[in-house]
Amino acid sequence: MDRRLSGWRGAAVGVALAFVGPGPAAWAQRSGPFFVSVQVAGGTGAVAVGGGYWLANRRLEPELLVGLLPGRLAGGRSLPIVSLKATYAPKGFGLGHSDWRVSPLTAGGLVSYTFGPNLYLSSRKTGRYPTKNYYWWSSALRLHAFVGPRVVQTAAGGWPRRRILGAEIGTTDLYLVSWLTNHTLRLPEILTLGFTAKAGGTPAYGPMPGPGNTAP
Amino acid sequence: MTTDAAGASSQRVLWMTFFTRGWGVACLFTLLLTSCHLLEFSPNQVAATGGARQLTAQNLARLRQQPRAAGGDTVRFVFIGDTQRFYDETAEFVRSVNQQRGIDFVLVGGDISDFGLGREMQWVHERLRRLRMPYLTVIGNHDQVGNGRRAYQAVFGPLNYSFEYGGTRFVMVDTNGREVGCNGTVPDLGWLRQELADTTRRTVVACHVPPNDNDFDPQLMLGYAAVLAQHPRLAVHLAAHIHRYTAGHPFRDAVPYITTYSLHKHRYHVVSVWGRRAFSLQTVDYGPAS
């Protein structure tokens, strides 16, 4: 019961943080480069929503996502998934004189925690097993790494000023362990695919670099 | 230059940029469009997108349709345990089994996966489906970690099931008591008793954790052995889990208890059952143990 409560508390914090991003346009104007995001697949649930803050001249995107694996996919109860994710996106190149840019190779990683009836941080927590590391891995905590392309649109003003669509090809820690310990497990067998959409507010510190509008 | 012409020129530049600098992006997006089976929501989802489901039912249907491989009243099958994360070895195992003649089916004694993930079960199926004969599984403790029990149910099927083949009743039972905290519910002795009620047919019981192992629910151990001992035509009890071959009568009754190798050992058993309750065991060695 306690575990379940803590799960919902985590989810509530996530949703609250996610809504810090959009706010009224004026508020977003003041509050800096926040963004909201929606992710489909890629280890964070069927759909995950959340938000984050652009760092390092909008190249680094730390974010928090709250997702759900619906009962139909989980084979029973729906499983909430909370993920901390960071993406590094190089500036890429502009597409002609449009307000679109392409970043062919972004890279990132996430750590996710899935809440479920038989999912534990460590097998030790279950109290079922005679030895400390009966199962050496955590069933609830997953590490995921990915690369992928994205397109970015930067509008002249308003909110959201920056819109991102991206795809992410990655893998999960346990898949990687399986791949590293077997020669015949092919790379495509361990890969996963996900999609992300992000929309962000206007930074408070001046115009964004873009076509015909280079940063000072 | 008119505004229209400027617009058209800018469009051209856009497309040229895309074709000259964006070929990598185009390739990546093409790869994405052709790889929808990679779409994964969570490693805890029960079956991969477009992956195999209900394999037990499919393999049983195939078994029913195929002609008997062994002669007379003999049923002959390969028994192996613990494919868990031994994908290289599983491929070698399949090559070896496919060279055998007179095998009705292959029985995998649990721990199909290592981490209880649906995708691992797909990886194993991807290799085992190359067997010339159908294969059947019984659930292991590793298949129950995390959301594994649900994954097994989706990819393979029921945790406890039985089938008849060649005048023999095969009873597959979940004995992974430790995975439910040894709470007295696994194995389901009521179900087992019911499955063994018909004592007129030759019977084989297969599970993952052998009853004399630490991971078997201690409060059910003697009850389990007693249910089996009551069956006059129980040929053999098969288990895996301990990754090595053992044979004996640990409960000092008429039931022979056998455990088999893991895939890692490059060895498997060919089990033949015939007559009232006769059985024989043959070991096939197909390479040095890794």
Side-chain angles (χ1 to χ4, degrees):
Chain A
M1 194 59 205
D2 279 341
R3 284 178 46 75
R4 197 172 304 166
L5 269 180
S6 70
W8 287 114
R9 209 174 299 144
V13 169
V15 169
L17 277 176
F19 282 97
V20 165
W27 191 84
Q29 187 86 29
R30 277 198 311 273
S31 59
F34 279 108
F35 62 87
V36 284
S37 50
V38 177
Q39 180 161 336
V40 174
T44 56
V47 178
V49 293
Y53 194 85
W54 275 304
L55 295 173
N57 208 17
R58 288 170 292 280
R59 283 185 195 153
L60 191 62
E61 292 167 2
E63 65 189 297
L64 180 76
L65 291 162
V66 179
L68 195 72
L69 186 67
R72 199 175 58 79
L73 292 166
R77 236 179 73 176
S78 298
L79 306 176
I81 303 171
V82 175
S83 309
L84 276 173
K85 180 180 171 186
T87 312
Y88 177 77
K91 226 171 110 185
F93 53 85
L95 285 180
H97 295 295
S98 71
D99 51 5
W100 289 87
R101 288 185 82 79
V102 171
S103 197
L105 198 69
T106 67
L110 66 88
V111 48
S112 72
Y113 194 95
T114 309
F115 299 87
N118 197 34
L119 292 158
Y120 295 93
L121 189 60
S122 147
S123 69
R124 218 173 303 178
K125 304 262 178 200
T126 63
R128 295 175 192 157
Y129 304 104
T131 50
K132 265 203 320 199
N133 282 322
Y134 191 89
Y135 297 123
W136 59 264
W137 68 96
S138 161
S139 53
L141 198 74
R142 286 279 66 78
L143 298 171
H144 193 88
F146 58 86
V147 292
R150 64 162 53 177
V151 287
V152 182
Q153 187 194 21
T154 309
W159 196 96
R161 193 166 164 203
R162 206 158 177 256
R163 296 148 203 187
I164 298 170
L165 272 177
E168 290 162 1
I169 293 180
T171 194
T172 298
D173 50 1
L174 298 181
Y175 295 170
L176 194 65
V177 167
S178 305
W179 186 69
L180 290 174
T181 50
N182 286 278
H183 300 296
T184 57
L185 200 61
R186 290 170 297 112
L187 189 63
E189 289 186 278
I190 66 157
L191 294 181
T192 67
L193 175 64
F195 296 96
T196 182
K198 293 172 192 177
T202 313
Y205 49 83
M208 295 175 102
N213 182 17
T214 37
Chain B
M1 193 184 268
T2 64
T3 323
D4 275 2
S9 140
S10 118
Q11 280 291 311
R12 247 196 320 275
V13 170
L14 197 155
W15 283 110
M16 277 172 68
T17 313
F18 192 82
F19 284 119
T20 52
R21 299 174 70 184
W23 64 271
V25 187
C27 285
L28 266 171
F29 274 109
T30 312
L31 178 74
L32 294 179
L33 288 172
T34 54
S35 56
C36 281
H37 66 280
L38 299 182
L39 203 68
E40 184 177 273
F41 305 107
S42 153
N44 289 310
Q45 74 186 65
V46 292
T49 313
R53 279 172 177 267
Q54 296 304 321
L55 290 169
T56 301
Q58 287 179 36
N59 277 309
L60 285 178
R62 215 178 121 195
L63 188 65
R64 264 179 236 118
Q65 282 162 11
Q66 77 174 20
R68 296 275 308 285
D73 77 334
T74 303
V75 174
R76 186 169 296 128
F77 57 96
V78 164
F79 182 49
I80 186 68
D82 309 82
T83 51
Q84 54 184 116
R85 200 150 50 85
F86 300 134
Y87 302 104
D88 294 350
E89 292 84 350
T90 302
E92 292 168 46
F93 164 78
V94 168
R95 278 194 290 277
S96 172
V97 172
N98 278 346
Q99 287 167 19
Q100 302 282 348
R101 292 290 172 267
I103 304 288
D104 289 302
F105 61 92
V106 171
L107 177 57
V108 186
D111 281 2
I112 318 300
S113 66
D114 197 18
F115 309 118
L117 302 177
R119 197 184 278 214
E120 293 183 278
M121 297 177 194
Q122 302 289 347
W123 292 338
V124 172
H125 172 63
E126 197 48 45
R127 282 144 187 87
L128 291 184
R129 74 183 182 86
R130 296 176 201 283
L131 284 165
R132 285 192 297 112
M133 59 294 278
Y135 75 93
L136 292 153
T137 59
V138 63
I139 191 165
N141 57 305
H142 279 254
D143 304 316
Q144 306 205 0
V145 179
N147 203 36
R149 200 174 286 128
R150 304 284 194 191
Y152 183 91
Q153 284 169 328
V155 177
F156 293 103
L159 310 187
N160 295 316
Y161 69 99
S162 66
F163 64 94
E164 305 231 0
Y165 185 76
T168 313
R169 186 168 184 77
F170 289 86
V171 179
M172 312 294 207
V173 57
D174 173 8
T175 56
N176 307 292
R178 193 177 286 289
E179 295 308 309
V180 292
C182 292
N183 63 6
T185 62
V186 174
D188 184 346
L189 292 192
W191 178 84
L192 188 65
R193 211 170 279 126
Q194 205 178 311
E195 290 299 313
L196 296 178
D198 178 5
T199 55
T200 61
R201 259 166 303 187
R202 185 170 63 217
T203 299
V204 171
V205 173
C207 67
H208 180 66
V209 175
N212 50 341
D213 188 85
N214 251 347
D215 295 326
F216 195 96
D217 191 338
Q219 57 183 315
L220 297 177
M221 180 177 77
L222 293 176
Y224 181 84
V227 172
L228 300 191
Q230 278 164 17
H231 199 292
R233 294 198 65 186
L234 182 62
V236 63
H237 177 278
L238 302 169
H241 188 57
I242 58 173
H243 294 204
R244 63 179 193 278
Y245 167 63
T246 63
H249 295 269
F251 300 100
R252 302 187 182 286
D253 51 27
V255 182
Y257 287 80
I258 307 283
T259 62
T260 192
Y261 305 103
S262 73
L263 259 291
H264 198 51
K265 303 285 166 66
H266 283 94
R267 278 178 180 177
Y268 57 87
H269 283 124
V270 176
V271 186
S272 305
V273 288
W274 72 92
R276 197 171 149 72
R277 61 184 297 178
F279 83 97
S280 76
L281 211 61
Q282 193 191 342
T283 304
V284 178
D285 198 324
Y286 60 97
S290 45

